[in-house]
Amino acid sequence: LSASNAFTGSTTVSDGSLQLASGGVLRFIIGTSGSNNSVTTAGPGSAVFDGTFQIDLSGAATNAGSTWNLVSPTSVSYGTNFS
């Protein structure tokens, strides 16, 4: 992905690789606690992030203890331009 990419669903990479290039943008939409789109990897799938995450908090829950998971920690790497 090399441009601005907004999506409302979650993405699972189960084979191959998802690559967010330097200059690319992924927009995450945050809702109630635990309610957001995310990127996960499974099996031989992997993700490489070297662009920017844009996080939309306009609909985020404001109560204490709310949590969100944007990216699963399995088979994920971050490049030097990640922000």
Side-chain angles (χ1 to χ4, degrees):
L1 305 172
S2 59
S4 181
N5 299 275
F7 62 103
T8 55
S10 292
T11 299
T12 299
V13 183
S14 57
D15 194 13
S17 181
L18 171 70
Q19 295 187 6
L20 178 64
S22 175
V25 178
L26 274 180
R27 183 171 184 240
F28 292 89
I29 302 169
I30 307 299
T32 59
S33 183
S35 176
N36 60 277
N37 53 328
S38 63
V39 176
T40 59
T41 58
S46 65
V48 178
F49 300 113
D50 199 25
T52 301
F53 282 5
Q54 220 174 48
I55 302 172
D56 179 348
L57 298 174
S58 62
T62 57
N63 55 314
S66 293
T67 61
W68 301 270
N69 182 26
L70 301 180
V71 176
S72 70
T74 308
S75 299
V76 174
S77 61
Y78 299 89
T80 58
N81 296 306
F82 177 77
S83 62

